[in-house]
Amino acid sequence: MSSSSSLDTLPVELIYYIFKYLDISTILLSFRYVCKRFQIIVNSYDYYKLDMRLISKINFDHICSRLCPEKIRSLILTNSLSTPYQIRTFLSRFSFDQFSYLQSLELIKIEENNLLEILTNISLHSLKSLSIHCSAWETYNYTIRVLLSSIIVKSKLEKLHLNISYRDLDMISWPPLPTTLKYLCLEHCTFQEYCMILRHTTNLHKLTLTKCLMHNIDGSIYQSCDEIYPSKLTSLTLGACFMHMKELEIFLSCTPKLSHIKLIIWTESDDSVMDGKKWEDFISKKLPLLTKFEFFFDNSIHINRNSLNIQSYIQSFQTPFWLEKHHWYVTCDYITISSIIRLYSLPICHSSFIYYTNSNKISYSTLTPTINSNELIHQVYEMTLNLNETIETNDEIQNKQFEYSMFRKVTCLSLNVDGRYPYTSSRFLRAIIDLSSIVRLTIHLLTCDFSQNSTLRDYISAILKDTSNIHTLQITYMHTEQSFSSTQHLCSLIPQSVEHLKISIKNLEEIKTILKQLHQLLSVTFYSVNISNFYEDIEKWINLKRQNSICRHGLCSIQIWLGQLIHHNNKKSLTT
């Protein structure tokens, strides 16, 4: 006998397991309405993860009308360009003390008054993870800083991510961090404060800092100490910041149990931070447990090519310590158009990478031909390309036939085009990047007249066809007083997959044309140096066409979170 089962006959426990892989919109607005049994299951489920990034205003309204706050375990809210004023809109519908079983909270670009309201009402007994990103912490009042510090101390947080300094937390109590912390990310701290973190957060496993200030007020460098802290820290990330090797040695000597280090550092080309022998001696002596060493060193001083020996930078990384014991490989690039050097480990650890062709760089690597370099660069997720660079006939990418694109995991791509011909070939682009994986695409047209350049229009059209899975598209001129003369033609180029658009415009008529033709848009940001002259007209027109839309004014821009499209029975009402 054979038996089969369908989704509607699965045990409740298995359906709950499936819910872990579905977003809340799918669960509440689709799955729930399949049948009566699914409705009952959805109503009884109490482990929802609510992620409001990139959500449509329509789904936002529907979810808020059906939401049971006590069933939410994870919540992400954001005031991004795609969802302006989302957090204040959310708080107008719920009191935050209703989210009594919240375990994880992430707030992105939150306003001061909204943060105060949340901190005043937040429940701490279940909260394990807290992430807050504010645009300008230094402008926030003392009350918020004290309240945040108090909440962190009283909590049992295991993960804390704040884009503020350690000093901003040290407001009313000591120590300012709970001992339960396992992961901590802060903007910056002094070396003394770094030592305090290690001393008091004894369960900390992973620490991320943008920078550590290694000098006293009088300019003297902090002195190293022989104290070994009782921290369980095994992973440390630092960057991007400016540091010398001497400072890094002091900084890293405090944590001998590290197994993973990631450094994004700007330094001087003659500093020993780019000396492999120096690092070999230091790691052997101070970091015996280190198994993963990631770095991206960028020099900050322009170098004369005639006085430069690029190969000398990688010679010290070709010893058995690097190649045989640890299998750590490095690449050194001299960027000829900017006269700078960058030295980095492989795989490339910098998630945002500017790619230069061979015509604009001199490059050497410790990789041997037997090693598949294509497997060592897969960690790049954001890339910038200049599409007018000359592609030489001997370019490494141009001549190689890759089974896969070189950077297969890039999802965010920024292209700079200055209008000069020839442009980078589409074949070359596909060899570098898997264009079908791109979900965010930015095209900067640099002081060129797009409207009168048919070759460029065709080129942009071809790129948009190849990047058919993008959901966020930005097309702007560097000089925003210019715009596309043929807006209708532009709209015909934009793929139906694009739901979030950022674009330069010249007048109200262009805005109307874009919104009339691109009904799939969930949000749009318009840029123009003169846009403040017609803010009021834009909002009036939007309110007639899109119900419950939200507009926010920015610097030379207006951001619109688009609501339900209004269908008028009277055709005359559709005319402007």
Side-chain angles (χ1 to χ4, degrees), residues 146-204:
V146 170
L147 185 56
L148 177 61
S149 178
S150 174
I151 285 173
I152 291 173
V153 170
K154 295 176 182 177
S155 71
K156 294 183 179 180
L157 289 173
E158 295 180 1
K159 182 177 180 179
L160 180 61
H161 190 149
L162 303 172
N163 67 323
I164 62 176
S165 70
Y166 178 85
R167 189 163 299 175
D168 288 326
L169 290 176
D170 186 14
M171 300 297 294
I172 61 169
S173 60
W174 184 257
L177 296 170
T179 57
T180 52
L181 270 186
K182 295 180 180 179
Y183 171 79
L184 175 63
C185 179
L186 292 175
E187 185 70 16
H188 66 265
C189 65
T190 66
F191 178 68
Q192 286 181 327
E193 292 165 345
Y194 169 68
C195 294
M196 293 175 186
I197 291 173
L198 297 178
R199 184 178 295 115
H200 294 284
T201 54
T202 53
N203 290 300
L204 193 65

Side-chain angles (χ1 to χ4, degrees), residues 384-444:
T384 298
L385 281 171
N386 297 314
L387 293 185
N388 301 105
E389 291 185 0
T390 302
I391 308 301
E392 295 180 348
T393 56
N394 65 341
D395 191 276
E396 58 182 340
I397 305 299
Q398 193 80 343
N399 286 317
K400 286 185 180 180
Q401 295 295 325
F402 289 116
E403 182 179 357
Y404 303 104
S405 301
M406 189 174 182
F407 295 89
R408 299 194 298 274
K409 293 191 176 182
V410 173
T411 58
C412 183
L413 177 62
S414 180
L415 303 175
N416 299 323
V417 190
D418 65 13
R420 290 180 295 131
Y421 189 82
Y423 315 122
T424 303
S425 70
S426 56
R427 175 180 175 271
F428 180 82
L429 274 179
R430 288 191 294 269
I432 299 176
I433 303 165
D434 180 3
L435 294 176
S436 65
S437 297
I438 303 300
V439 295
R440 297 173 185 264
L441 175 64
T442 298
I443 301 176
H444 293 295

Side-chain angles (χ1 to χ4, degrees), residues 129-141:
S129 175
L130 177 63
S131 176
I132 303 176
H133 181 278
C134 298
S135 299
W137 270 106
E138 65 277 3
T139 65
Y140 281 36
N141 63 44

Side-chain angles (χ1 to χ4, degrees), residues 29-40:
L29 306 181
S30 297
F31 190 90
R32 185 175 184 270
Y33 292 97
V34 172
C35 64
K36 185 67 175 178
R37 179 172 183 258
F38 285 179
Q39 182 179 350
I40 295 172

Side-chain angles (χ1 to χ4, degrees), residues 521-549:
L521 292 180
L522 307 181
S523 74
V524 61
T525 299
F526 296 111
Y527 298 99
S528 173
V529 292
N530 300 316
I531 201 165
S532 59
N533 296 335
F534 42 97
Y535 276 148
E536 186 176 345
D537 293 334
I538 295 173
E539 293 192 31
K540 285 182 179 179
W541 191 84
I542 288 293
N543 289 333
L544 291 173
K545 304 299 179 182
R546 295 281 197 140
Q547 186 178 15
N548 298 324
S549 295

Side-chain angles (χ1 to χ4, degrees), residues 234-379:
T234 57
S235 177
L236 177 63
T237 298
L238 181 65
C241 63
F242 186 95
M243 290 188 81
H244 292 105
M245 186 64 188
K246 183 178 180 180
E247 297 166 333
L248 284 168
E249 287 178 324
I250 295 172
F251 178 75
L252 296 173
S253 294
C254 302
T255 51
K257 295 182 180 180
L258 287 176
S259 60
H260 169 234
I261 294 176
K262 179 178 177 179
L263 303 174
I264 311 295
I265 301 294
W266 300 317
T267 189
E268 297 170 348
S269 58
D270 57 351
D271 188 82
S272 56
V273 75
M274 290 190 170
D275 184 349
K277 182 62 169 62
K278 188 77 172 180
W279 278 109
E280 179 178 337
D281 294 341
F282 177 75
I283 291 170
S284 300
K285 182 179 179 181
K286 296 289 187 178
L287 301 170
L289 303 180
L290 192 66
T291 57
K292 188 175 183 180
F293 184 32
E294 301 178 285
F295 59 84
F296 199 103
F297 301 145
D298 212 332
N299 85 311
S300 59
I301 297 178
H302 290 256
I303 301 170
N304 189 323
R305 179 175 177 178
N306 296 328
S307 62
L308 188 65
N309 182 2
I310 303 296
Q311 287 180 294
S312 65
Y313 281 90
I314 67 165
Q315 285 175 353
S316 59
F317 293 92
Q318 293 177 312
T319 64
F321 172 86
W322 293 93
L323 302 181
E324 297 173 14
K325 180 179 180 180
H326 291 291
H327 302 285
W328 292 340
Y329 306 101
V330 303
T331 292
C332 183
D333 296 333
Y334 174 68
I335 312 303
T336 57
I337 58 175
S338 54
S339 301
I340 63 172
I341 285 179
R342 58 185 191 184
L343 180 73
Y344 49 91
S345 59
L346 297 173
I348 300 171
C349 64
H350 209 320
S351 62
S352 182
F353 188 71
I354 301 177
Y355 182 84
Y356 297 93
T357 63
N358 280 359
S359 61
N360 287 314
K361 71 181 179 185
I362 301 172
S363 185
Y364 290 96
S365 177
T366 60
L367 283 174
T368 63
T370 58
I371 301 173
N372 186 358
S373 61
N374 208 24
E375 295 297 322
L376 292 173
I377 53 182
H378 68 278
Q379 295 191 55

